[in-house]
């Protein structure tokens, strides 16, 4: 009877101590000061309603464990301290060390094996609560499509309960989603690459098509949206320029046909500023200038003829004056001044003949 009582008290002592040690803030603070941060983290995470100090410690340690070298160093410490605790039969401390090791490397087999051996010595009353919280956090990350963090927390939950099918199935599902997401991202990147090339080469219609393909794959991406808006603006501006060009050409043609050559030159020049390489407005400018040169030359010749006619009339050389008038009328048959002078000279010559 005494032997049974001793055994009962022995195991009761182990369980009581393990329960108190698993939530012993003082022990966690001691581990923290001794740079056993992963072990301290495991205890801090077992605390119900942690205060600001503990929450800050948790965030600090998890931040440091993001560094691979630091994490590896802590993992080795957990394994060494756990083995040492096992040798001295400090089962609750070994339990903490190996669980802390799994916080760093959830797939590590050695600490899992040791924890199975320790299960007959240590009863952790917080296992179910810790597991349920991990599943709730992982589900929340999953619902928000933060798949990498969700996968990490599901794996951490499997450390606590390796037989949970929900966490295992979710990890498989997440792997498939990530694979699909990576495939979509590659296709998106390919479309953006071709779209940027077409855009740089001035082929905005093709560029728009590929930007739209990329946007269909990832509708929340801002870059293809912005580029499509830029293309739409370019197309709108191009249409406006095309309309302005056509109007300038039509108005220039009308001015040319009305023999308003200076106005025609002005309008065709406006069209040429819109499309500098267009041949038609340049040819019409050349044609208008040529006609204006001819008109100016004719006007100068008529002016010289009129001057000579006046001089011959003043000198009573009417026959010569008559010859100059005929020359002028051959250039401008309907010129009223020449017609009047012709009538006068013809009358004088007729009188002289009588």
């Amino acid at each position: 009877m005494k032997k049974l009582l001793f055994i009962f008290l022995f195991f009761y002592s182990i369980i009581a101590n393990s329960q108190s040690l698993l939530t012993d803030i003082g022990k966690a603070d001691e581990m923290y000061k001794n740079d056993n941060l992963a072990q301290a983290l495991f205890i801090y995470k077992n605390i119900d309603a942690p205060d600001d100090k503990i929450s800050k410690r948790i965030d600090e340690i998890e931040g440091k464990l993001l560094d691979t070298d630091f994490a590896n160093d802590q993992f080795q410490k957990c394994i060494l301290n756990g083995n040492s605790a096992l040798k001295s039969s400090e089962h609750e401390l070994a339990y903490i060390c190996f669980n802390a090791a799994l916080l760093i490397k959830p797939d590590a087999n050695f600490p899992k094996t040791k924890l199975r051996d320790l299960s007959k010595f240590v009863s952790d009353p917080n296992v179910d609560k810790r597991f349920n919280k991990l599943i709730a956090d992982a589900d929340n990350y999953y619902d928000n499509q933060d798949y990498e963090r969700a996968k990490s927390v599901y794996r951490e939950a499997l450390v606590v309960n390796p037989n949970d099918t929900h966490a295992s199935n979710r990890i498989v599902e997440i792997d498939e989603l990530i694979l699909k997401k990576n495939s979509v991202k590659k296709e998106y990147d390919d479309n953006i690459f071709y779209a940027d090339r077409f855009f740089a080469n001035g082929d905005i219609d093709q560029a728009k098509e590929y930007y739209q393909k990329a946007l269909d794959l990832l509708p929340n991406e801002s870059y293809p949206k912005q580029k499509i808006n830029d293309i739409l603006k370019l197309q709108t501006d191009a249409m406006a320029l095309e309309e302005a060009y056509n109007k300038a050409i039509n108005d220039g043609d009308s001015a040319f046909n009305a023999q308003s050559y200076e106005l025609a030159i002005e309008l065709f020049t406006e069209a040429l500023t819109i499309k500098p390489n267009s041949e038609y407005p340049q040819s019409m400018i050349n044609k208008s200038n040529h006609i204006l040169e001819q008109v100016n030359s004719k006007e100068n010749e008529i002016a010289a003829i009129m001057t000579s006619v006046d001089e011959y009339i003043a000198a009573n050389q009417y026959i010569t004056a008559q010859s100059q008038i005929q020359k002028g009328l051959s250039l401008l048959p309907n010129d009223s001044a020449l017609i009047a002078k012709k009538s006068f000279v013809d009358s004088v010559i007729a009188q002289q003949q009588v």
Side-chain angles (χ1 to χ4, degrees), residues 188 191-215 219 221-236:
Y188 168 86
N191 282 310
I192 290 295
F193 171 77
Y194 289 115
D196 286 342
R197 285 186 63 181
F198 283 124
F199 188 84
N201 292 330
D203 190 347
I204 60 175
D205 290 331
Q206 282 282 68
K208 182 182 175 184
E209 180 181 340
Y210 278 91
Y211 283 129
Q212 188 60 55
K213 287 181 180 179
L215 189 61
E221 289 295 321
S222 60
Y223 179 74
K225 287 181 183 178
Q226 183 59 51
K227 297 302 288 186
I228 289 173
N229 289 334
D230 291 344
I231 289 173
L232 290 175
K233 185 177 184 305
L234 287 173
Q235 290 176 330
T236 301

Side-chain angles (χ1 to χ4, degrees), residues 41 150 168 323:
L41 177 65
S168 299
S323 174

Side-chain angles (χ1 to χ4, degrees), residues 161-276:
N161 184 1
N163 299 319
D164 183 69
T165 56
H166 173 71
S168 299
N169 292 337
R170 274 290 168 85
I171 289 174
V172 173
E173 186 179 343
I174 287 171
D175 286 338
E176 293 175 353
L177 287 170
I178 292 175
L179 186 63
K180 182 179 178 181
K181 182 179 179 181
N182 291 338
S183 176
V184 170
K185 184 64 169 62
K186 182 181 183 305
E187 188 176 353
Y188 168 86
D189 290 339
D190 289 343
N191 282 310
I192 290 295
F193 171 77
Y194 289 115
D196 286 342
R197 285 186 63 181
F198 283 124
F199 188 84
N201 292 330
D203 190 347
I204 60 175
D205 290 331
Q206 282 282 68
K208 182 182 175 184
E209 180 181 340
Y210 278 91
Y211 283 129
Q212 188 60 55
K213 287 181 180 179
L215 189 61
D216 291 342
L217 291 168
L218 296 177
N220 294 326
E221 289 295 321
S222 60
Y223 179 74
K225 287 181 183 178
Q226 183 59 51
K227 297 302 288 186
I228 289 173
N229 289 334
D230 291 344
I231 289 173
L232 290 175
K233 185 177 184 305
L234 287 173
Q235 290 176 330
T236 301
D237 293 344
M239 289 177 61
L241 287 174
E242 187 67 24
E243 290 177 2
Y245 173 82
N246 290 333
K247 184 177 185 305
I249 291 295
N250 292 333
D251 292 346
D253 286 339
S254 297
F256 184 87
N257 294 331
Q259 298 183 0
S260 299
Y261 301 112
E262 291 181 352
L263 177 59
I265 290 172
E266 181 180 335
L267 291 167
F268 287 127
T269 301
E270 181 182 340
L272 203 59
T273 59
I274 298 172
K275 292 186 178 181

